[in-house]
Amino acid sequence: FKEPTNLPNPMLAITDASFGYRTEDGRETTILRQVNRSVQAGQRIGILGANGQGKSTLVKTIARDLRAISGEVTEGKGLNIGYFAQQELDVLRPQDTPLEHMVRLAKEAMASGRSNVPGREQELRNFLGTFNFGGEMVKQAVGTMSGGEKARLVLCMLVWQRPNLLLLDEPTNHLDLSTREALSVALNEFEGTVMLVSHDRALLRAVCDEFWLVSRGGIAPFDGDLDDYQRYLLDEAKRAREEASREQRAA
């Protein structure tokens, strides 16, 4: 990752916010309530929580893919988010090629004032080449690519944008071991802020120095380490089984 052009501090502040999503008929489903957190320049936050507790909802709201249902998410001046979605096709267009993705990204950066460097096609081709997109592959439809190739393309687009806040939602799901290790090294050298959702404990351990726990409709600091978190998950699973058993008996 290139050095960010600036580092606003705080990066963002979340005040009395409720997060969730709206269905097509306009109804709201709230998943997280009364969230009050701030994100500082240089923080490296691992986002923990059992499946379905709202980790991706939190990340999507910060990434501006979802709107907060209530409260405020205040961004620092000059915040530039690089977002890796759990489903790569949330940020990729299946019918477009890697080169078309990069050309569009360069045009959007120019239009928004985030860049004054026009993306010349040969420069974009060269940049794609550094992520192993060479030759005819730059003109291959993304929808025909493997999960690992799509993940590499998303990472290529992130690096090109020179973000100062990286939001990574399960970035290693389709990556091979050597690419995972390369990502871990790159994240450790990155000078901006990282917020990481991952089941890859080795990556969490290598990259993050603090953790947030998303649980039971809220977000709180998690003071333990990843071994404590493993015990917490086992306790939560046991509690859920006992609760289901009680409900069954009551029925």
Side-chain angles (χ1 to χ4, degrees), residues 214-231:
V214 180
S215 173
R216 304 185 198 181
I219 302 172
F222 186 76
D223 294 328
D225 59 19
L226 290 173
D227 292 330
D228 297 322
Y229 176 59
Q230 180 62 26
R231 285 189 286 273

Side-chain angles (χ1 to χ4, degrees), residues 49-182:
N51 289 340
Q53 292 295 308
K55 300 188 298 294
S56 291
T57 300
L58 168 66
V59 170
K60 283 182 176 180
T61 307
I62 294 172
R64 312 178 189 116
D65 276 11
L66 295 173
R67 283 172 50 202
I69 288 172
S70 64
E72 290 184 16
V73 179
T74 308
E75 297 184 354
K77 187 173 169 55
L79 181 71
N80 183 12
I81 294 173
Y83 174 41
F84 187 106
Q86 186 171 356
Q87 304 297 325
E88 289 92 351
L89 291 181
D90 286 355
V91 290
L92 297 177
R93 299 182 183 182
Q95 71 280 6
D96 287 0
T97 68
L99 186 57
E100 286 169 336
H101 278 85
M102 293 300 291
V103 167
R104 188 174 65 252
L105 200 59
K107 285 180 178 172
E108 286 172 359
M110 284 283 286
S112 68
R114 283 185 286 117
S115 171
N116 57 6
V117 181
R120 295 181 181 84
E121 184 173 313
Q122 190 55 51
E123 288 172 0
L124 297 174
R125 280 176 177 270
N126 292 346
F127 194 79
L128 282 162
T130 64
F131 283 79
N132 286 348
F133 291 101
E136 288 304 303
M137 207 173 175
V138 298
K139 294 191 171 178
Q140 181 181 337
V142 164
T144 66
M145 291 180 174
S146 70
E149 289 163 345
K150 290 172 191 166
R152 269 213 322 276
L153 177 57
V154 174
L155 288 170
C156 175
M157 292 165 68
L158 285 191
V159 172
W160 189 86
Q161 292 174 79
R162 293 186 75 166
N164 46 35
L165 171 60
L166 283 174
L167 294 175
L168 307 175
D169 192 355
E170 298 292 357
T172 59
N173 275 359
H174 299 291
L175 300 180
D176 60 31
L177 187 58
S178 61
T179 312
R180 286 180 184 211
E181 288 171 355

